[in-house]
Short mmCIF file of all heavy atoms in Angstrom, two decimals:
data_model
loop_
_atom_site.label_atom_id
_atom_site.label_comp_id
_atom_site.label_asym_id
_atom_site.label_seq_id
_atom_site.Cartn_x
_atom_site.Cartn_y
_atom_site.Cartn_z
N GLU A 415 175.73 75.33 67.98
CA GLU A 415 175.72 76.18 69.16
C GLU A 415 175.10 75.50 70.38
O GLU A 415 175.49 75.77 71.51
CB GLU A 415 174.97 77.48 68.85
CG GLU A 415 175.70 78.37 67.85
CD GLU A 415 174.97 79.68 67.61
OE1 GLU A 415 173.94 79.92 68.29
OE2 GLU A 415 175.41 80.45 66.74
N ARG A 416 174.11 74.62 70.13
CA ARG A 416 173.44 73.98 71.27
C ARG A 416 173.56 72.46 71.17
O ARG A 416 174.62 71.95 70.86
CB ARG A 416 171.99 74.44 71.34
CG ARG A 416 171.84 75.95 71.55
CD ARG A 416 170.38 76.35 71.73
NE ARG A 416 170.23 77.80 71.80
CZ ARG A 416 169.06 78.43 71.87
NH1 ARG A 416 167.93 77.73 71.89
NH2 ARG A 416 169.01 79.75 71.92
N ASN A 417 172.48 71.76 71.40
CA ASN A 417 172.52 70.30 71.51
C ASN A 417 172.47 69.61 70.15
O ASN A 417 171.92 70.12 69.18
CB ASN A 417 171.33 69.80 72.34
CG ASN A 417 171.32 70.39 73.74
OD1 ASN A 417 172.36 70.63 74.34
ND2 ASN A 417 170.13 70.64 74.27
N VAL A 418 173.02 68.41 70.13
CA VAL A 418 172.89 67.50 68.99
C VAL A 418 172.24 66.23 69.52
O VAL A 418 172.76 65.59 70.43
CB VAL A 418 174.25 67.16 68.36
CG1 VAL A 418 174.08 66.08 67.29
CG2 VAL A 418 174.89 68.40 67.75
N ARG A 419 171.09 65.88 68.94
CA ARG A 419 170.46 64.64 69.38
C ARG A 419 169.76 63.97 68.21
O ARG A 419 169.32 64.62 67.27
CB ARG A 419 169.46 64.89 70.51
CG ARG A 419 168.25 65.71 70.17
CD ARG A 419 167.31 65.79 71.37
NE ARG A 419 166.95 64.48 71.86
CZ ARG A 419 166.40 64.24 73.04
NH1 ARG A 419 166.15 65.23 73.87
NH2 ARG A 419 166.08 63.01 73.39
N GLY A 420 169.76 62.62 68.27
CA GLY A 420 169.12 61.90 67.18
C GLY A 420 169.43 60.42 67.21
O GLY A 420 169.90 59.87 68.22
N TYR A 421 169.18 59.80 66.07
CA TYR A 421 169.30 58.35 65.91
C TYR A 421 170.22 58.05 64.75
O TYR A 421 170.10 58.68 63.69
CB TYR A 421 167.92 57.73 65.65
CG TYR A 421 166.89 58.07 66.69
CD1 TYR A 421 166.26 59.30 66.69
CD2 TYR A 421 166.57 57.14 67.68
CE1 TYR A 421 165.30 59.61 67.65
CE2 TYR A 421 165.60 57.44 68.65
CZ TYR A 421 164.98 58.69 68.62
OH TYR A 421 164.04 58.99 69.57
N GLY A 422 171.11 57.07 64.90
CA GLY A 422 172.00 56.73 63.80
C GLY A 422 172.66 55.39 64.01
O GLY A 422 172.68 54.85 65.12
N SER A 423 173.20 54.87 62.91
CA SER A 423 173.98 53.63 63.01
C SER A 423 175.44 53.95 63.31
O SER A 423 176.15 53.15 63.90
CB SER A 423 173.87 52.84 61.70
OG SER A 423 172.56 52.43 61.47
N GLN A 424 175.88 55.15 62.87
CA GLN A 424 177.24 55.59 63.14
C GLN A 424 177.22 57.11 63.29
O GLN A 424 176.78 57.81 62.38
CB GLN A 424 178.19 55.18 62.01
CG GLN A 424 179.64 55.56 62.23
CD GLN A 424 180.28 54.78 63.37
OE1 GLN A 424 180.08 53.57 63.48
NE2 GLN A 424 181.02 55.46 64.23
N VAL A 425 177.69 57.60 64.43
CA VAL A 425 177.70 59.04 64.70
C VAL A 425 179.12 59.47 65.02
O VAL A 425 179.78 58.87 65.88
CB VAL A 425 176.76 59.40 65.87
CG1 VAL A 425 176.81 60.90 66.14
CG2 VAL A 425 175.34 58.95 65.57
N THR A 426 179.58 60.51 64.32
CA THR A 426 180.96 60.97 64.50
C THR A 426 180.99 62.48 64.70
O THR A 426 180.34 63.22 63.96
CB THR A 426 181.82 60.62 63.27
OG1 THR A 426 181.78 59.21 63.05
CG2 THR A 426 183.26 61.08 63.47
N VAL A 427 181.76 62.92 65.71
CA VAL A 427 182.09 64.34 65.85
C VAL A 427 183.58 64.43 65.54
O VAL A 427 184.41 63.95 66.32
CB VAL A 427 181.79 64.87 67.27
CG1 VAL A 427 182.14 66.36 67.35
CG2 VAL A 427 180.33 64.65 67.62
N SER A 428 183.92 64.99 64.39
CA SER A 428 185.31 65.00 63.95
C SER A 428 186.13 66.02 64.72
O SER A 428 185.60 66.80 65.52
CB SER A 428 185.38 65.28 62.45
OG SER A 428 184.97 66.60 62.19
N SER A 429 187.43 66.01 64.46
CA SER A 429 188.35 66.88 65.21
C SER A 429 188.05 68.36 65.04
O SER A 429 188.36 69.16 65.92
CB SER A 429 189.79 66.59 64.77
OG SER A 429 189.94 66.79 63.38
N SER A 430 187.43 68.74 63.93
CA SER A 430 187.10 70.15 63.70
C SER A 430 185.70 70.50 64.19
O SER A 430 185.27 71.65 64.09
CB SER A 430 187.21 70.48 62.21
OG SER A 430 186.33 69.68 61.46
N GLY A 431 184.98 69.52 64.73
CA GLY A 431 183.60 69.75 65.15
C GLY A 431 183.49 70.25 66.57
O GLY A 431 184.34 69.96 67.42
N SER A 432 182.43 71.01 66.83
CA SER A 432 182.18 71.49 68.19
C SER A 432 180.68 71.50 68.45
O SER A 432 179.89 71.88 67.59
CB SER A 432 182.76 72.89 68.40
OG SER A 432 182.10 73.84 67.57
N VAL A 433 180.32 71.07 69.66
CA VAL A 433 178.92 71.03 70.08
C VAL A 433 178.81 71.86 71.34
O VAL A 433 179.46 71.57 72.36
CB VAL A 433 178.46 69.58 70.34
CG1 VAL A 433 177.01 69.56 70.83
CG2 VAL A 433 178.62 68.73 69.09
N GLY A 434 177.98 72.92 71.29
CA GLY A 434 177.89 73.83 72.42
C GLY A 434 177.08 73.29 73.58
O GLY A 434 177.20 73.79 74.70
N GLY A 435 176.28 72.27 73.34
CA GLY A 435 175.47 71.69 74.41
C GLY A 435 175.76 70.22 74.58
O GLY A 435 176.92 69.78 74.53
N ASP A 436 174.70 69.43 74.72
CA ASP A 436 174.84 67.98 74.91
C ASP A 436 174.88 67.26 73.58
O ASP A 436 174.29 67.70 72.59
CB ASP A 436 173.66 67.43 75.73
CG ASP A 436 173.61 68.01 77.14
OD1 ASP A 436 174.67 68.45 77.63
OD2 ASP A 436 172.51 68.03 77.73
N LEU A 437 175.57 66.12 73.60
CA LEU A 437 175.53 65.18 72.48
C LEU A 437 174.73 63.98 72.97
O LEU A 437 175.21 63.21 73.81
CB LEU A 437 176.94 64.76 72.07
CG LEU A 437 177.04 63.67 70.99
CD1 LEU A 437 176.45 64.17 69.67
CD2 LEU A 437 178.49 63.23 70.79
N HIS A 438 173.50 63.84 72.50
CA HIS A 438 172.60 62.81 72.99
C HIS A 438 172.12 61.99 71.80
O HIS A 438 171.33 62.47 70.99
CB HIS A 438 171.41 63.45 73.72
CG HIS A 438 170.56 62.46 74.44
ND1 HIS A 438 169.53 62.81 75.27
CD2 HIS A 438 170.58 61.08 74.46
CE1 HIS A 438 168.95 61.74 75.76
NE2 HIS A 438 169.56 60.68 75.28
N VAL A 439 172.62 60.76 71.69
CA VAL A 439 172.32 59.96 70.52
C VAL A 439 171.86 58.56 70.91
O VAL A 439 172.20 58.05 71.97
CB VAL A 439 173.55 59.84 69.58
CG1 VAL A 439 173.92 61.20 69.02
CG2 VAL A 439 174.73 59.22 70.30
N THR A 440 171.08 57.96 70.02
CA THR A 440 170.65 56.57 70.17
C THR A 440 171.26 55.77 69.03
O THR A 440 171.03 56.08 67.86
CB THR A 440 169.12 56.46 70.13
OG1 THR A 440 168.56 57.25 71.17
CG2 THR A 440 168.67 55.02 70.30
N VAL A 441 172.06 54.75 69.38
CA VAL A 441 172.80 53.98 68.39
C VAL A 441 172.70 52.49 68.72
O VAL A 441 172.30 52.12 69.83
CB VAL A 441 174.29 54.41 68.36
CG1 VAL A 441 174.44 55.81 67.77
CG2 VAL A 441 174.89 54.35 69.75
N PRO A 442 173.07 51.61 67.79
CA PRO A 442 172.98 50.17 68.04
C PRO A 442 173.96 49.64 69.07
O PRO A 442 173.70 48.66 69.75
CB PRO A 442 173.24 49.55 66.66
CG PRO A 442 173.05 50.64 65.68
CD PRO A 442 173.41 51.89 66.39
N SER A 443 175.15 50.29 69.18
CA SER A 443 176.19 49.79 70.09
C SER A 443 177.06 50.96 70.55
O SER A 443 177.13 52.00 69.87
CB SER A 443 177.06 48.74 69.40
OG SER A 443 177.70 49.29 68.26
N PRO A 444 177.76 50.82 71.68
CA PRO A 444 178.58 51.91 72.20
C PRO A 444 179.67 52.37 71.23
O PRO A 444 180.00 53.56 71.18
CB PRO A 444 179.20 51.32 73.48
CG PRO A 444 178.27 50.23 73.88
CD PRO A 444 177.73 49.66 72.59
N ASP A 445 180.25 51.43 70.45
CA ASP A 445 181.33 51.82 69.55
C ASP A 445 180.82 52.50 68.28
O ASP A 445 181.60 52.84 67.39
CB ASP A 445 182.19 50.60 69.18
CG ASP A 445 181.38 49.49 68.54
OD1 ASP A 445 180.15 49.66 68.37
OD2 ASP A 445 181.97 48.44 68.20
N ALA A 446 179.49 52.73 68.19
CA ALA A 446 178.94 53.41 67.02
C ALA A 446 179.04 54.93 67.16
O ALA A 446 178.72 55.66 66.24
CB ALA A 446 177.48 53.02 66.80
N VAL A 447 179.51 55.40 68.33
CA VAL A 447 179.71 56.84 68.55
C VAL A 447 181.19 57.12 68.67
O VAL A 447 181.90 56.48 69.44
CB VAL A 447 178.99 57.32 69.83
CG1 VAL A 447 179.23 58.80 70.06
CG2 VAL A 447 177.50 57.04 69.73
N GLU A 448 181.66 58.09 67.89
CA GLU A 448 183.09 58.42 67.89
C GLU A 448 183.27 59.93 68.02
O GLU A 448 182.78 60.69 67.19
CB GLU A 448 183.73 57.92 66.60
CG GLU A 448 185.24 58.11 66.54
CD GLU A 448 185.85 57.53 65.27
OE1 GLU A 448 185.16 56.74 64.59
OE2 GLU A 448 187.01 57.88 64.97
N VAL A 449 183.96 60.34 69.06
CA VAL A 449 184.30 61.76 69.25
C VAL A 449 185.80 61.87 69.10
O VAL A 449 186.57 61.41 69.96
CB VAL A 449 183.85 62.27 70.63
CG1 VAL A 449 184.23 63.74 70.80
CG2 VAL A 449 182.34 62.09 70.81
N ASP A 450 186.26 62.43 68.01
CA ASP A 450 187.69 62.49 67.70
C ASP A 450 188.44 63.41 68.64
O ASP A 450 187.86 64.33 69.25
CB ASP A 450 187.91 62.95 66.25
CG ASP A 450 187.39 61.95 65.24
OD1 ASP A 450 187.15 60.79 65.63
OD2 ASP A 450 187.22 62.32 64.06
N ASP A 451 189.75 63.19 68.73
CA ASP A 451 190.62 64.09 69.49
C ASP A 451 190.56 65.49 68.87
O ASP A 451 190.65 65.64 67.65
CB ASP A 451 192.06 63.59 69.47
CG ASP A 451 192.21 62.27 70.21
OD1 ASP A 451 191.35 61.99 71.07
OD2 ASP A 451 193.17 61.52 69.92
N GLY A 452 190.39 66.48 69.70
CA GLY A 452 190.30 67.85 69.20
C GLY A 452 188.87 68.33 69.08
O GLY A 452 188.62 69.54 69.01
N ALA A 453 187.91 67.39 69.07
CA ALA A 453 186.50 67.78 69.02
C ALA A 453 186.07 68.34 70.37
O ALA A 453 186.62 67.98 71.41
CB ALA A 453 185.64 66.58 68.65
N THR A 454 185.09 69.22 70.34
CA THR A 454 184.61 69.87 71.57
C THR A 454 183.14 69.56 71.79
O THR A 454 182.31 69.82 70.91
CB THR A 454 184.79 71.40 71.49
OG1 THR A 454 186.17 71.71 71.26
CG2 THR A 454 184.32 72.06 72.77
N VAL A 455 182.84 69.00 72.96
CA VAL A 455 181.45 68.81 73.38
C VAL A 455 181.32 69.46 74.74
O VAL A 455 181.81 68.94 75.76
CB VAL A 455 181.08 67.31 73.46
CG1 VAL A 455 179.63 67.15 73.95
CG2 VAL A 455 181.24 66.64 72.10
N SER A 456 180.67 70.64 74.78
CA SER A 456 180.63 71.42 76.01
C SER A 456 179.73 70.79 77.07
O SER A 456 180.00 70.94 78.27
CB SER A 456 180.13 72.84 75.71
OG SER A 456 180.99 73.48 74.79
N GLY A 457 178.70 70.11 76.66
CA GLY A 457 177.79 69.50 77.62
C GLY A 457 178.12 68.04 77.85
O GLY A 457 179.27 67.61 77.73
N GLU A 458 177.10 67.26 78.16
CA GLU A 458 177.28 65.83 78.40
C GLU A 458 177.22 65.05 77.09
O GLU A 458 176.56 65.45 76.14
CB GLU A 458 176.19 65.31 79.33
CG GLU A 458 176.21 65.88 80.73
CD GLU A 458 175.13 65.24 81.58
OE1 GLU A 458 175.30 64.07 81.98
OE2 GLU A 458 174.12 65.91 81.84
N THR A 459 177.90 63.92 77.09
CA THR A 459 177.78 62.97 75.99
C THR A 459 176.95 61.79 76.49
O THR A 459 177.40 61.02 77.34
CB THR A 459 179.16 62.49 75.50
OG1 THR A 459 179.91 63.61 75.01
CG2 THR A 459 179.00 61.47 74.39
N ILE A 460 175.74 61.69 75.97
CA ILE A 460 174.80 60.66 76.42
C ILE A 460 174.56 59.70 75.27
O ILE A 460 174.12 60.11 74.18
CB ILE A 460 173.46 61.28 76.88
CG1 ILE A 460 173.71 62.34 77.96
CG2 ILE A 460 172.50 60.21 77.36
CD1 ILE A 460 172.50 63.18 78.28
N VAL A 461 174.86 58.43 75.49
CA VAL A 461 174.69 57.41 74.46
C VAL A 461 173.66 56.39 74.93
O VAL A 461 173.87 55.70 75.93
CB VAL A 461 176.03 56.71 74.15
CG1 VAL A 461 175.81 55.64 73.08
CG2 VAL A 461 177.07 57.73 73.68
N ASP A 462 172.55 56.35 74.22
CA ASP A 462 171.52 55.34 74.50
C ASP A 462 171.67 54.21 73.49
O ASP A 462 171.83 54.45 72.29
CB ASP A 462 170.11 55.94 74.37
CG ASP A 462 169.84 56.98 75.44
OD1 ASP A 462 170.43 56.86 76.53
OD2 ASP A 462 169.05 57.91 75.18
N ILE A 463 171.62 53.00 73.98
CA ILE A 463 171.76 51.84 73.11
C ILE A 463 170.37 51.35 72.71
O ILE A 463 169.52 51.10 73.57
CB ILE A 463 172.55 50.71 73.80
CG1 ILE A 463 173.91 51.24 74.28
CG2 ILE A 463 172.72 49.54 72.85
CD1 ILE A 463 174.76 51.83 73.18
N GLU A 464 170.17 51.25 71.43
CA GLU A 464 168.89 50.75 70.91
C GLU A 464 168.89 49.24 71.04
O GLU A 464 169.55 48.54 70.29
CB GLU A 464 168.73 51.16 69.45
CG GLU A 464 167.42 50.71 68.82
CD GLU A 464 167.37 51.05 67.35
OE1 GLU A 464 168.05 51.99 66.91
OE2 GLU A 464 166.67 50.33 66.63
N GLU A 465 168.16 48.76 72.02
CA GLU A 465 168.15 47.33 72.28
C GLU A 465 167.43 46.57 71.18
O GLU A 465 166.34 46.95 70.77
CB GLU A 465 167.48 47.05 73.63
CG GLU A 465 168.23 47.63 74.81
CD GLU A 465 167.55 47.29 76.12
OE1 GLU A 465 166.55 46.56 76.09
OE2 GLU A 465 168.04 47.76 77.16
N LYS A 466 168.05 45.53 70.74
CA LYS A 466 167.42 44.68 69.73
C LYS A 466 166.26 43.92 70.37
O LYS A 466 166.36 43.46 71.50
CB LYS A 466 168.43 43.68 69.15
CG LYS A 466 169.62 44.34 68.47
CD LYS A 466 169.19 45.15 67.27
CE LYS A 466 170.39 45.78 66.59
NZ LYS A 466 170.00 46.60 65.43
N GLU A 467 165.20 43.85 69.66
CA GLU A 467 164.03 43.16 70.18
C GLU A 467 164.33 41.68 70.38
O GLU A 467 164.70 40.97 69.45
CB GLU A 467 162.84 43.32 69.24
CG GLU A 467 162.31 44.74 69.17
CD GLU A 467 161.10 44.82 68.28
OE1 GLU A 467 160.78 43.82 67.63
OE2 GLU A 467 160.48 45.88 68.25
N LYS A 468 164.18 41.22 71.64
CA LYS A 468 164.38 39.80 71.90
C LYS A 468 163.20 38.99 71.36
O LYS A 468 163.32 37.84 71.00
CB LYS A 468 164.53 39.59 73.42
CG LYS A 468 165.76 40.27 73.99
CD LYS A 468 165.86 40.04 75.48
CE LYS A 468 167.08 40.73 76.06
NZ LYS A 468 167.19 40.55 77.52
N ARG A 469 162.06 39.65 71.36
CA ARG A 469 160.85 38.98 70.90
C ARG A 469 160.62 39.32 69.44
O ARG A 469 160.31 40.45 69.10
CB ARG A 469 159.67 39.45 71.76
CG ARG A 469 158.33 38.86 71.37
CD ARG A 469 157.29 39.34 72.37
NE ARG A 469 155.97 38.88 72.00
CZ ARG A 469 155.13 39.57 71.25
NH1 ARG A 469 155.50 40.74 70.77
NH2 ARG A 469 153.94 39.10 70.97
N ARG A 470 160.81 38.38 68.58
CA ARG A 470 160.62 38.58 67.15
C ARG A 470 159.16 38.30 66.80
O ARG A 470 158.66 37.19 67.01
CB ARG A 470 161.54 37.65 66.35
CG ARG A 470 163.02 37.88 66.64
CD ARG A 470 163.47 39.23 66.17
NE ARG A 470 164.89 39.45 66.41
CZ ARG A 470 165.51 40.58 66.12
NH1 ARG A 470 164.85 41.58 65.61
NH2 ARG A 470 166.80 40.71 66.38
N ALA A 471 158.50 39.29 66.26
CA ALA A 471 157.07 39.14 65.97
C ALA A 471 156.81 37.98 65.03
O ALA A 471 155.79 37.29 65.14
CB ALA A 471 156.54 40.44 65.38
N PHE A 472 157.73 37.75 64.07
CA PHE A 472 157.53 36.70 63.07
C PHE A 472 157.51 35.29 63.69
O PHE A 472 157.09 34.34 63.05
CB PHE A 472 158.62 36.77 62.00
CG PHE A 472 158.50 37.97 61.11
CD1 PHE A 472 159.23 39.11 61.37
CD2 PHE A 472 157.64 37.96 60.03
CE1 PHE A 472 159.12 40.23 60.56
CE2 PHE A 472 157.52 39.08 59.21
CZ PHE A 472 158.26 40.21 59.47
N LEU A 473 158.00 35.18 64.94
CA LEU A 473 158.07 33.86 65.57
C LEU A 473 156.82 33.53 66.37
O LEU A 473 156.73 32.45 66.95
CB LEU A 473 159.30 33.80 66.48
CG LEU A 473 160.66 34.02 65.79
CD1 LEU A 473 161.76 33.95 66.83
CD2 LEU A 473 160.88 32.99 64.70
N TYR A 474 155.86 34.44 66.41
CA TYR A 474 154.69 34.25 67.24
C TYR A 474 153.43 34.15 66.39
O TYR A 474 153.23 34.95 65.46
CB TYR A 474 154.55 35.38 68.25
CG TYR A 474 155.61 35.33 69.33
CD1 TYR A 474 156.91 35.80 69.08
CD2 TYR A 474 155.34 34.79 70.57
CE1 TYR A 474 157.89 35.74 70.05
CE2 TYR A 474 156.31 34.73 71.56
CZ TYR A 474 157.57 35.20 71.29
OH TYR A 474 158.55 35.14 72.26
N PRO A 475 152.54 33.21 66.70
CA PRO A 475 151.32 33.02 65.92
C PRO A 475 150.44 34.27 65.88
O PRO A 475 149.73 34.51 64.90
CB PRO A 475 150.61 31.86 66.63
CG PRO A 475 151.68 31.15 67.39
CD PRO A 475 152.67 32.20 67.77
N GLY A 476 150.47 35.05 66.95
CA GLY A 476 149.62 36.24 67.01
C GLY A 476 149.89 37.20 65.88
O GLY A 476 148.97 37.89 65.39
N PHE A 477 151.14 37.28 65.45
CA PHE A 477 151.48 38.17 64.34
C PHE A 477 150.75 37.76 63.07
O PHE A 477 150.17 38.58 62.36
CB PHE A 477 153.00 38.14 64.10
CG PHE A 477 153.43 38.80 62.83
CD1 PHE A 477 153.49 40.18 62.72
CD2 PHE A 477 153.76 38.04 61.71
CE1 PHE A 477 153.87 40.79 61.54
CE2 PHE A 477 154.14 38.64 60.53
CZ PHE A 477 154.21 40.02 60.44
N TYR A 478 150.75 36.47 62.77
CA TYR A 478 150.12 35.97 61.55
C TYR A 478 148.60 36.10 61.62
O TYR A 478 147.95 36.45 60.62
CB TYR A 478 150.52 34.51 61.31
CG TYR A 478 152.00 34.36 61.09
CD1 TYR A 478 152.87 34.05 62.15
CD2 TYR A 478 152.55 34.57 59.83
CE1 TYR A 478 154.23 33.93 61.95
CE2 TYR A 478 153.93 34.45 59.62
CZ TYR A 478 154.76 34.14 60.68
OH TYR A 478 156.11 34.04 60.48
N PHE A 479 148.03 35.86 62.79
CA PHE A 479 146.60 36.04 62.95
C PHE A 479 146.22 37.52 62.76
O PHE A 479 145.18 37.84 62.18
CB PHE A 479 146.13 35.55 64.32
CG PHE A 479 146.03 34.06 64.42
CD1 PHE A 479 146.83 33.36 65.31
CD2 PHE A 479 145.16 33.34 63.61
CE1 PHE A 479 146.75 31.97 65.42
CE2 PHE A 479 145.08 31.96 63.70
CZ PHE A 479 145.87 31.28 64.60
N GLY A 480 147.08 38.41 63.27
CA GLY A 480 146.82 39.84 63.12
C GLY A 480 146.84 40.28 61.67
O GLY A 480 145.98 41.03 61.22
N VAL A 481 147.86 39.81 60.93
CA VAL A 481 147.96 40.15 59.51
C VAL A 481 146.77 39.59 58.73
O VAL A 481 146.18 40.27 57.88
CB VAL A 481 149.29 39.63 58.92
CG1 VAL A 481 149.29 39.78 57.39
CG2 VAL A 481 150.47 40.38 59.51
N LEU A 482 146.41 38.35 59.04
CA LEU A 482 145.28 37.71 58.36
C LEU A 482 143.97 38.47 58.64
O LEU A 482 143.16 38.71 57.73
CB LEU A 482 145.15 36.26 58.81
CG LEU A 482 144.04 35.43 58.14
CD1 LEU A 482 144.26 35.36 56.63
CD2 LEU A 482 143.99 34.02 58.72
N ALA A 483 143.77 38.87 59.90
CA ALA A 483 142.56 39.60 60.26
C ALA A 483 142.50 40.95 59.55
O ALA A 483 141.44 41.36 59.05
CB ALA A 483 142.51 39.80 61.78
N LYS A 484 143.64 41.63 59.47
CA LYS A 484 143.68 42.92 58.79
C LYS A 484 143.40 42.76 57.30
O LYS A 484 142.66 43.55 56.70
CB LYS A 484 145.06 43.57 59.00
CG LYS A 484 145.15 44.99 58.46
CD LYS A 484 146.50 45.61 58.80
CE LYS A 484 146.58 47.04 58.28
NZ LYS A 484 147.90 47.66 58.59
N ALA A 485 143.98 41.72 56.69
CA ALA A 485 143.75 41.47 55.26
C ALA A 485 142.28 41.17 54.98
O ALA A 485 141.69 41.68 54.02
CB ALA A 485 144.64 40.33 54.78
N LEU A 486 141.67 40.33 55.83
CA LEU A 486 140.26 39.99 55.64
C LEU A 486 139.37 41.21 55.82
O LEU A 486 138.39 41.40 55.08
CB LEU A 486 139.85 38.89 56.64
CG LEU A 486 140.41 37.49 56.35
CD1 LEU A 486 140.05 36.54 57.48
CD2 LEU A 486 139.89 36.96 55.02
N ALA A 487 139.70 42.06 56.80
CA ALA A 487 138.91 43.28 57.02
C ALA A 487 138.99 44.21 55.82
O ALA A 487 137.97 44.75 55.36
CB ALA A 487 139.40 43.99 58.28
#
Side-chain angles (χ1 to χ4, degrees):
E415 292 182 5
R416 299 184 186 176
N417 301 326
V418 173
R419 66 176 305 165
Y421 305 79
S423 296
Q424 182 67 44
V425 179
T426 302
V427 181
S428 67
S429 58
S430 60
S432 65
V433 178
D436 297 336
L437 175 64
H438 189 172
V439 295
T440 301
V441 290
S443 60
D445 58 0
V447 178
E448 184 177 345
V449 179
D450 294 343
D451 294 337
T454 302
V455 178
S456 300
E458 295 183 74
T459 299
I460 305 169
V461 179
D462 294 331
I463 305 303
E464 181 185 335
E465 296 182 3
K466 300 297 181 181
E467 292 183 352
K468 296 180 180 179
R469 178 176 176 268
R470 300 294 181 183
F472 290 96
L473 300 179
Y474 290 79
F477 169 78
Y478 297 95
F479 283 117
V481 171
L482 182 60
K484 187 175 181 181
L486 288 174

